[in-house]
Amino acid sequence: MKNFNRIIREIFESFPVKMPLVIFIILFCAGINTLPSVFIQKITAIIEFAPPSVTWPEISANIIKLLLILAGFYALSLAGVILQGYLGAEITQGVLLHIRKKMFDRMQNLPVKFFDSQAHGDIMSKFVNDVDSMRQLISQAAPNLLTAIITIFAVISIMLYFSIWLTCITFIGIIIMFTITKKIGWRSAGHFRRQQKNTGLLEGFAEEMMNGQKVIKVFCRENKSIQEFEKINNELFSQSEQANKRANTLGPILNNVGNILYVVTALSGGILILAGVKNFSLSGLPMSISVVLPFLNMTKQFAMTINHLSMHLNSVISGMAGAGRIFELIDSDPEEDSGRIIIDSQKANGSIEFQDIDFSYDNNIKILRDITLTAKPGQKTALVGSTGAGKTTIANLIPRFYDVQNGRILFDGVDIREIKKSSLRKNLAIVLQDTNLFSDSILENIRYGNLNASDQECINAAKLVGADDFITRLPEGYNTFLTGGGANLSHGQRQLIAISRAAAANPVIMILDEATSSIDTRTESQVQRGMDALMHGRTVFVIAHRLSTVRNSDLILVIEHGQIIERGTHSELIAKKGRYYNLYTGAFELS
């Protein structure tokens, strides 16, 4: 109910006028749907209590009048249903638009550690499957639920008006039907929730397998992947089967209970009439066929309403489960930013200083210990060391993807925790080993680094890093449309575009995390010349396993187990004949 109440609040906030109008239409139409029983009673009473001498033409006028009034109500109901359909579609899609916007906005404001700990496929499932479940809840299940509730109360009220004795008999069936609904229907709620969760797990696994198809095939892991998929798929099947078994058996059971209730009510009414039992009702009508006949109609309507309600129970529960997962994303803690200082990019120098830095991702295992370094404008600082030594972690601390536990990182002498993150990040660019290109032209992918850059500035950035040569040889050049993250390009070409994007950003700080790892030696030397020009006057951090790329660095830091064990220029470190010397000469290889 917490999720349901929140959905209702979202709807009213988005449509404060139209939503009450839709509710009024639903109430009006539900009320009209209960009127046939009243008209049946009146028409039956005219016929039943008419004197024997009265002819059909004499009573037909009143009957036709009642039928015309009923037809008028049905015409109004039809108009209301049509209007409800139009407004309902607008409200449903409008709320989903609002919800998706909230989800995406919050996703853009979540910290990096959120995406490091969440399967991307599961996040996508929230945008697709869970939003669709909410759509069914808002557009179908909720209106039908409201209609059913109004119909039930209206029918019970009319029943009490006609005959309290027959209503008491009907209540026995009502209690049975609600008990069955509770025991069978609501037991499926847990299964539907787990079904939504397992759907997200399945999509996350499928996405991971699609991204890793080459690795799967080269290591012949197809059978293992199939087994893991079947495990998740079977769990989803089990939960879906249990949920839908209960939901699908509920309708037929309630339908048969309704039929039995209809027969019991008919027999009870006949017995009461034959026994001459005085009717006890709010209407004061005697126990007669004109009371029992409409009462049977109401009994059937009541049973059908409960049955109809049970059919939408799975949509209600799935919608609730989906809403819970959606609100879980919306309520996720956004990235904290206590910084208030805005950096003037035109005046920034880009000096970076680490002062006694200690860092841990989980506040338990230290990844970095006592890191102290100074990187000056125009200086190229290289970080080398084994995999897992902490090189990338150092790079992630500069743009404040994570904040340090101990020590300080200074940007132009200011603690970066005091600088607004957006302002800090506008002054730096990062090129990662795993490139991220978007479904757009090459030109626009380069411009992504600086949305104000002209076409020529983007082309100049590509020329600077040596990407212009292969781009101009493409059929459509810079207008070549990239799909699937640049799947129509080689890995090295994708990296050149990513480096061009960083060049277009024209930052004061550049971080290259294995940026040239997928580029051949010839292209690397070409890129290196461009990077040397690009690095002029900038603070540059280079993370590389290929030591040939860091020889000309102004400062080389050797990182092992989260600590700096050596520092100096290439010649200084070679002269020391320490760890760097062993790495460079091949006496010890990086792993």
Side-chain angles (χ1 to χ4, degrees), residues 555-579:
L555 175 64
I556 300 173
L557 303 174
V558 182
I559 315 293
E560 287 299 331
H561 304 297
Q563 293 180 301
I564 300 175
I565 60 173
E566 290 181 4
R567 68 177 73 207
T569 63
H570 172 76
S571 57
E572 290 172 347
L573 293 176
I574 291 295
K576 286 183 180 180
K577 294 189 175 182
R579 183 61 174 272

Side-chain angles (χ1 to χ4, degrees), residues 72-116:
F73 278 119
Y74 274 132
L76 290 174
S77 177
L78 176 60
V81 169
I82 294 173
L83 182 58
Q84 179 194 337
Y86 277 105
L87 293 176
E90 182 180 348
I91 290 173
T92 299
Q93 297 306 320
V95 170
L96 295 184
L97 172 72
H98 183 63
I99 289 291
R100 285 194 295 264
K101 184 179 184 303
K102 274 191 173 183
M103 292 172 67
F104 194 80
D105 289 350
R106 177 47 55 95
M107 190 176 70
Q108 298 306 308
N109 292 309
L110 291 174
V112 171
K113 64 181 179 182
F114 175 87
F115 300 98
D116 289 342

Side-chain angles (χ1 to χ4, degrees), residues 342-357:
I342 304 296
I343 300 173
D344 186 345
S345 300
Q346 302 298 322
K347 298 180 180 179
N349 294 318
S351 66
I352 293 291
E353 185 177 354
F354 281 64
Q355 295 182 345
D356 304 319
I357 295 297

Side-chain angles (χ1 to χ4, degrees), residues 375-550:
K376 299 176 182 178
Q379 184 181 45
K380 179 180 177 182
T381 301
L383 306 175
V384 300
S386 303
T387 300
K391 307 183 298 297
T392 299
T393 299
I394 291 175
N396 285 337
L397 294 178
I398 297 173
R400 290 189 66 193
F401 290 152
Y402 298 89
D403 282 330
V404 299
Q405 282 83 34
N406 296 310
R408 297 193 307 164
I409 301 175
L410 304 181
F411 179 98
D412 287 351
V414 179
D415 191 325
I416 62 173
R417 286 172 292 194
E418 299 177 8
I419 302 172
K420 195 169 183 62
K421 287 183 178 180
S422 59
S423 178
L424 174 66
R425 292 168 184 172
K426 283 180 180 178
N427 287 276
L428 57 87
I430 300 178
V431 181
L432 303 173
Q433 181 178 6
D434 297 324
T435 58
N436 288 283
L437 301 180
F438 302 95
S439 297
D440 209 329
S441 67
I442 290 178
L443 189 66
E444 291 305 318
N445 269 279
I446 296 175
R447 202 193 313 275
Y448 199 83
N450 180 7
L451 298 180
N452 296 320
S454 65
D455 290 357
Q456 190 58 49
E457 286 174 331
C458 293
I459 294 172
N460 290 340
K463 288 181 177 179
L464 184 64
V465 302
D468 180 75
D469 182 53
F470 88 84
I471 295 175
T472 52
R473 284 189 279 109
L474 294 173
E476 297 182 46
Y478 283 88
N479 293 319
T480 301
F481 194 86
L482 303 181
T483 58
N488 45 340
L489 300 177
S490 70
H491 197 161
Q493 290 172 332
R494 293 199 296 270
Q495 277 193 317
L496 284 171
I497 293 175
I499 296 172
S500 301
R501 181 167 60 196
N506 194 27
V508 295
I509 300 174
M510 288 199 68
I511 300 173
L512 308 175
D513 190 351
E514 298 287 354
T516 59
S517 62
S518 298
I519 300 176
D520 59 79
T521 306
R522 177 179 173 277
T523 305
E524 182 186 358
S525 62
Q526 182 182 9
V527 172
Q528 195 61 55
R529 289 193 297 270
M531 294 301 293
D532 288 340
L534 180 64
M535 289 184 293
H536 179 71
R538 293 183 172 88
T539 306
V540 179
F541 290 88
V542 177
I543 300 172
H545 276 96
R546 194 185 297 174
L547 297 185
S548 59
T549 63
V550 302

